[in-house]
Structures are given as C-alpha cells and as structure tokens.
Amino acid sequence: MKMKCFDYATLPRVQWSEEKGETRDIVCWPVSDDFAWRAYFTTIHQSGILGQFPDIERSIVLLKGKGVRLTSPGFLEHELVKKMTSFNFSGDILGHAELLDGPVQCFNIMTRRSCWSSEISLVSDERLLPTAHSGVLYVLKGRWEMTGANYVQLAFGQGAWWLPDIREGVIKPLIADSQLLWVDLRPIG
C-alpha cells in the first residue's frame, strides 16, 4: 500500500449536535464503526461532554486556541494549554471539555488498547518511514518531501497516513524551521 495523502481543507466535516463543534476524520482503520485506530481533527466551539469510548486510549494535541480543561471527577483533571504537546488519557471515562477562552482546534488519535499503541512527536528533521507499523504525519510548518513508494511534497495543513505494508521511504524538510506531527502506531502482540 502506498501513502494516503490528505489536506485538512478538503476533509469532510461532521457537525456535532447543537453545533458545539465538528470533526474531520483523516482515517478510521479498518472501518469507522469498529476501528482499531483513528486519526482526526476536532474543533470545539462550546464546552460540552467528552465522549466515552470503552477499550480506547486517546491522545490529543492542541493546535489552535487558548486551551481546554478535560475533566471527569475522580479520573481526569487536565488543562490542555501547551500547543503541539500530546496528552494521553483513557477513553473509558465519560468526561467534560471546558473551553478556557474561546474555540480550540485539536489533533486526535484513538487506539484500541488491545491491539495498537501510539506515540505522537514533534519532528523537524529527516526520518525513515517505518515499514513494520502504521503512522500519520501532519505538517505544521514549512515544506516536506516524501520519497520511497511515493514521491510527494507536503506543506502546511497537509499530511499522510500509511499501514505496515509500505516500502521503505524517507521524509525530510525542504526548508529551515519545518515541523510536523509524527504519529507512530504500533501493533501490539
């Protein structure tokens, strides 16, 4: 399988009830109703319920906005205010997302805890694309070039995802001060 590229601007938007926010899915693999892992963006316009997803580990990265407080009495109390830093928590809990000062945009990863794990990093240097596990890239700044099974250039707001069967490749920055989010998705077992 080759890399699947995406552009944030063209991802389908799904509005939440009462227009409290929206979701833009990058990928739900293998299927959206019963995913093993999922990558997506959320934009939260109003404070509200934090969905419950049994057997799911969640990771969230603040991209835009002042921040959001994630709470579930006795289980979770975290203010997500530092941009480009991943916060991980259990999807088993039902919680609340309270905006701190206006809307926020976040990058999210969900993994089914029994079969996948994830790690999100901020990357600014050349990397080999792993062939033994899946991944997602999202460009935050600059321009990047991917070579290997595909040749493609990516700029701000664009990205790619892949499954473990890609051929070896490399992603490298084309200009100084380039940054991307790198999600390493590893099968368990």
Side-chain angles (χ1 to χ4, degrees):
M1 171 186 222
K2 294 183 179 181
M3 291 273 180
K4 300 287 187 182
C5 295
F6 67 89
D7 189 316
Y8 175 86
T10 62
L11 292 173
R13 293 185 333 180
V14 176
Q15 292 288 331
W16 300 351
S17 65
E18 300 174 21
E19 298 185 14
K20 289 186 176 190
E22 67 180 40
T23 301
R24 293 180 188 229
D25 271 322
I26 298 167
V27 58
C28 286
W29 187 82
V31 293
S32 60
D33 291 343
D34 188 26
F35 62 86
W37 60 267
R38 176 184 180 200
Y40 62 102
F41 297 96
T42 53
T43 302
I44 305 172
H45 302 294
Q46 296 177 31
S47 299
I49 299 295
L50 187 63
Q52 186 175 20
F53 296 90
D55 192 35
I56 298 294
E57 289 299 316
R58 300 178 71 165
S59 298
I60 186 169
V61 177
L62 179 65
L63 299 176
K64 294 179 182 176
K66 300 288 185 186
V68 61
R69 181 178 296 114
L70 306 173
T71 59
S72 179
F75 295 101
L76 175 67
E77 180 74 36
H78 181 77
E79 284 192 1
L80 185 66
V81 293
K82 188 174 179 187
K83 291 185 174 99
M84 310 317 158
T85 302
S86 176
F87 175 67
N88 306 317
F89 62 102
S90 173
D92 293 326
I93 59 174
L94 183 62
H96 190 261
E98 178 187 346
L99 295 173
L100 298 178
D101 185 15
V104 296
Q105 182 187 73
C106 299
F107 176 82
N108 303 266
I109 297 292
M110 290 183 173
T111 55
R112 189 156 309 279
R113 126 175 5 104
S114 57
C115 53
W116 289 87
S117 67
S118 70
E119 182 179 340
I120 303 175
S121 309
L122 190 59
V123 171
S124 57
D125 57 344
E126 182 174 316
R127 296 287 170 105
L128 287 175
L129 298 171
T131 59
H133 36 97
S134 298
V136 181
L137 307 172
Y138 179 64
V139 176
L140 300 168
K141 293 194 311 190
R143 285 197 344 260
W144 293 78
E145 175 183 80
M146 283 192 313
T147 57
N150 306 54
Y151 171 81
V152 66
Q153 287 191 9
L154 299 171
F156 170 74
Q158 298 177 323
W161 64 272
W162 64 92
L163 296 175
D165 57 355
I166 66 164
R167 289 181 291 187
E168 191 168 304
V170 173
I171 185 159
K172 63 181 178 183
L174 294 175
I175 60 175
D177 201 30
S178 292
Q179 287 185 330
L180 58 77
L181 285 177
W182 172 283
V183 182
D184 190 11
L185 291 152
R186 295 178 181 266
I188 294 173

